Amino acid sequence: MSASSETLLSVRDLSVDFHQGGRTSTAVDRISFDIEKGEVLALVGESGSGKSVSANSILRLLPYPSASHPSGEILFKGRDLLRVSDNELRAVRGNDITMIFQEPMTSLNPLHSIEKQIGEILALHQGLTGQAARRRILELLNQVGIREPEKRLKAYPHELSGGQRQRVMIAMALANRPELLIADEPTTALDVTVQAQILELLRELKRAHGMSMLFITHDLGIVRKFADRVCVMTKGKIVETGTVEQVFTNPQHEYTRHLLASEPRGDPPLADESKPVVMEGSDIRVWFPIKSGLMRKVVDHVKAVDGIDLSLRAGQTLGVVGESGSGKTTLGLALTRLISSKGRISFVGKDIEAYSFTQMRPLRNQLQVVFQDPYGSLSPRMSVGDIIAEGLKVHERALSSEERDRRVCWALEEVGLDPLTRWRFPHEFSGGQRQRIAIARAMVLKPRFVMLDEPTSALDMSVQAQVVDLLRDLQRKHDLAYLFISHDLRVVKALANDMIVMRFGKVVEKGPSADIFRDPQHDYTRALLAAAFNIEAVETAAIQQ
């Protein structure tokens, strides 16, 4: 598409190199795209494809001078942003072009109130202070759907939910009425219902203000509902460009077809009543005390888990779904006795709810956990081999070093990794490979029960599908019982034969997954399903607190 009078931003032949330790690597390789006035252009691709580097180049937010642009220009209303002075660029940043980042908790200052952070932008770009600034801040918070904004002015980021923090980020981005909004994975870390609300909010704001938008994501489901045109990136190159309808109905490039086919597929295990019960719980409660006053008396409780019953057989998967704060992870931690709880918990016929840390230790090899973020759960100072072998050193001390090494190699082969990689460190692997290492660490002990806490939510769609296939194969091979915790119902549908839906610590619906997906009975379940499978149909009324 050639630049025209309606073209707001034109990126031409842009390359980005990074220089480190005498080496040069190319992250973006001669890409070109235009954004028209009032248009939403989606830039899609997997992690490492160059999407965010391209977006950050527009506002020159890369770590210069280690980053450089060996070729290209970025024309915003006719001016090349790569060559304007720092003063000219500052006038554009936050004023004409603004950016929303993926994780609001790391983008917002934890030491400043919401009012101060939005007010800083207004003072810097518009000279607004005092009551005029406060009126504008309240107007912005109302615009982005923050209820009772007067009560939120003095709040700090940690006092807001994930969705509220992202709304504050959007308010900051809109403060100066920008012409172009860059949204870098703004919904990836959010629950599906909150994600749907944020997308609807962005759609309304775009319509009201006539903004153009560069929307960066790896979720093609969002692109289908939200964007006008799409550019598909891989390995630093744009391999396909077209309208959303063209790309989705008639993809031309092999990589685009690969992305479109990457949604988790396949069927969960069939329910089998003949299998032994591995984990069982009745009336499980985890209440956290709320203390007040000088004597710190208990005045109330946060009922994180409140009276839950469940049963899980060998070779079966129980999906636990719900939004952040519903009690999903707390339930999993109680079942694995990583936190104390009330109520009966039985593991392979043994009542373990009263077991001490010492009593639980002989059972730990049979009760394993795979966490959401493999980079945070794998020690950066240990090699992969040492990470996987650590559990063997604790639970199977009689093994010789050679036998231990053979078990590590076996575990790596089980998860589809080359045993020779055991000498490398976590930072040398991709996100999907790190999650395979985390699964290998659990599998090496040959467990009977595995708690999987959002193990795919931080991964690209195609990697998600690979991890789901891997988990299904391991379950079939070793008759594993999975407690699969997630807010992503597409993954749950592919893995779980039974399901419980949690809200505010309680189960609002339970039963065979196929029945719940086909005919949900509770309004909240219907809202979750609408948000996961049809963003435009989300029933926001059902999810209001």
Side-chain angles (χ1 to χ4, degrees):
M1 185 186 299
S2 60
S4 72
S5 58
E6 290 299 310
T7 300
L8 183 67
L9 183 82
S10 183
V11 174
R12 285 283 165 267
D13 201 33
L14 179 70
S15 297
V16 181
D17 283 353
F18 286 96
H19 314 279
Q20 189 173 23
R23 296 181 179 179
T24 298
S25 59
T26 300
V28 175
D29 189 7
R30 296 184 177 276
I31 66 166
S32 298
F33 61 84
D34 294 330
I35 302 176
E36 303 295 305
K37 289 184 178 178
E39 177 186 49
V40 177
L41 176 70
L43 198 56
V44 305
E46 296 173 295
S47 297
S49 61
K51 307 184 303 293
S52 294
V53 172
S54 302
N56 285 327
S57 296
I58 294 171
L59 289 174
R60 286 183 9 207
L61 296 177
L62 296 177
Y64 301 100
S66 60
S68 67
H69 300 285
S71 71
E73 55 186 9
I74 300 173
L75 300 174
F76 178 69
K77 297 198 292 189
R79 287 192 300 169
D80 187 355
L81 298 182
L82 292 180
R83 290 166 180 83
V84 298
S85 68
D86 288 346
N87 284 338
E88 288 177 292
L89 186 63
R90 275 194 288 270
V92 172
R93 283 179 183 163
N95 207 23
D96 299 320
I97 305 175
T98 55
M99 195 162 183
I100 305 169
F101 297 97
Q102 178 174 348
E103 180 43 70
M105 197 59 182
T106 57
S107 304
L108 296 171
N109 190 323
L111 303 178
H112 291 168
S113 68
I114 300 309
E115 181 179 18
K116 183 169 183 178
Q117 295 191 58
I118 302 176
E120 188 176 18
I121 294 170
L122 296 172
L124 184 66
H125 290 278
Q126 298 181 30
L128 282 182
T129 57
Q131 286 302 311
R134 175 169 283 217
R135 281 193 297 272
R136 176 62 176 149
I137 293 167
L138 290 172
E139 179 189 337
L140 287 164
L141 293 177
N142 266 314
Q143 244 183 355
V144 299
I146 297 283
R147 288 180 290 174
E148 300 181 299
E150 296 85 357
K151 296 181 180 179
R152 296 295 186 183
L153 290 177
K154 300 301 180 187
Y156 290 85
H158 72 273
E159 298 177 285
L160 305 177
S161 69
Q164 288 171 328
R165 286 194 290 265
Q166 197 60 287
R167 288 172 188 268
V168 169
M169 285 292 296
I170 294 170
M172 293 170 70
L174 296 176
N176 297 307
R177 300 180 178 89
E179 294 181 72
L180 174 63
L181 176 65
I182 302 171
D184 188 0
E185 300 272 14
T187 60
T188 298
L190 303 177
D191 297 319
V192 286
T193 46
V194 180
Q195 181 185 97
Q197 294 170 39
I198 292 297
L199 290 173
E200 182 56 33
L201 169 64
L202 289 171
R203 187 183 285 114
E204 289 174 5
L205 292 170
K206 170 189 169 291
R207 198 160 43 231
H209 301 287
M211 283 189 309
S212 300
M213 204 176 299
L214 177 62
F215 196 90
I216 299 164
T217 184
H218 64 254
D219 191 332
L220 290 173
I222 292 175
V223 174
R224 189 194 292 267
K225 301 290 182 184
F226 191 67
D228 300 307
R229 287 190 308 116
V230 57
C231 293
V232 181
M233 281 193 80
T234 181
K235 298 178 181 176
K237 294 178 179 289
I238 290 179
V239 295
E240 186 159 355
T241 302
T243 66
V244 168
E245 185 178 358
Q246 288 168 345
V247 171
F248 276 83
T249 59
N250 188 26
Q252 299 298 303
H253 196 274
E254 183 182 349
Y255 179 72
T256 310
R257 291 193 288 270
H258 160 73
L259 281 183
L260 290 169
S262 290
E263 201 166 285
R265 300 180 188 278
D267 297 315
L270 294 173
D272 188 347
E273 297 294 322
S274 68
K275 295 285 182 74
V277 173
V278 174
M279 182 67 75
E280 194 171 19
S282 58
D283 194 28
I284 302 171
R285 285 162 287 137
V286 181
W287 292 10
F288 297 109
I290 299 173
K291 298 181 180 182
S292 183
L294 185 64
M295 304 302 292
R296 307 301 293 160
K297 290 185 177 179
V298 176
V299 295
D300 203 351
H301 289 85
V302 174
K303 299 178 181 180
V305 174
D306 193 16
I308 290 182
D309 302 330
L310 58 84
S311 180
L312 179 57
R313 296 179 182 273
Q316 309 281 281
T317 300
L318 175 63
V320 185
V321 305
E323 296 173 293
S324 297
S326 61
K328 308 186 299 294
T329 298
T330 304
L331 173 64
L333 294 174
L335 289 173
T336 51
R337 307 311 300 139
L338 293 172
I339 59 172
S340 59
S341 62
K342 302 289 185 182
R344 178 173 168 267
I345 297 174
S346 174
F347 176 63
V348 292
K350 299 176 184 176
D351 287 351
I352 61 172
E353 68 272 4
Y355 273 29
S356 66
F357 177 83
T358 304
Q359 288 173 304
M360 281 299 301
R361 189 165 184 172
L363 297 177
R364 287 290 172 209
N365 61 331
Q366 299 178 61
L367 289 159
Q368 287 294 297
V369 181
V370 177
F371 295 100
Q372 176 175 355
D373 179 11
Y375 201 64
S377 63
L378 302 176
S379 172
R381 296 181 177 86
M382 295 171 68
S383 71
V384 165
D386 288 339
I387 288 169
I388 297 172
E390 190 174 23
L392 295 173
K393 292 177 182 177
V394 173
H395 294 285
E396 300 189 33
R397 295 181 180 180
L399 291 177
S400 67
S401 58
E402 290 79 13
E403 290 170 323
R404 203 161 46 238
D405 191 54
R406 278 197 293 272
R407 282 278 289 275
V408 169
C409 292
W410 168 82
L412 285 168
E413 288 174 341
E414 283 283 282
V415 300
L417 291 176
D418 186 343
L420 292 176
T421 61
R422 68 190 185 278
W423 310 114
R424 293 162 59 185
F425 289 81
H427 73 271
E428 299 178 78
F429 294 85
S430 69
Q433 288 172 322
R434 284 196 290 264
Q435 196 60 286
R436 288 173 184 265
I437 292 165
I439 295 169
R441 177 174 59 181
M443 295 306 303
V444 75
L445 293 169
K446 301 182 178 178
R448 300 189 64 176
F449 172 90
V450 183
M451 168 188 159
L452 298 150
D453 190 3
E454 302 271 14
T456 62
S457 64
L459 305 176
D460 294 322
M461 294 289 283
S462 61
V463 182
Q464 270 189 15
Q466 294 167 23
V467 171
V468 167
D469 289 342
L470 169 64
L471 291 171
R472 196 186 285 119
D473 289 344
L474 291 171
Q475 181 177 54
R476 202 159 32 233
K477 194 183 294 185
H478 302 292
D479 218 22
L480 294 167
Y482 287 154
L483 185 79
F484 190 84
I485 297 167
S486 183
H487 65 254
D488 190 336
L489 291 172
R490 291 171 296 185
V491 178
V492 172
K493 187 177 184 180
L495 267 179
N497 51 285
D498 281 305
M499 183 169 145
I500 62 175
V501 181
M502 290 186 67
R503 190 184 188 205
F504 303 145
K506 291 184 177 291
V507 171
V508 298
E509 191 159 355
K510 64 188 294 186
S513 297
D515 293 348
I516 292 176
F517 280 104
R518 183 175 58 252
D519 185 24
Q521 299 300 303
H522 196 279
D523 284 346
Y524 179 68
T525 310
R526 285 194 286 271
L528 287 177
L529 290 171
F533 297 104
N534 181 5
I535 289 168
E536 290 181 334
V538 63
E539 301 171 26
T540 53
I543 58 176
Q544 296 296 324
Q545 295 186 12

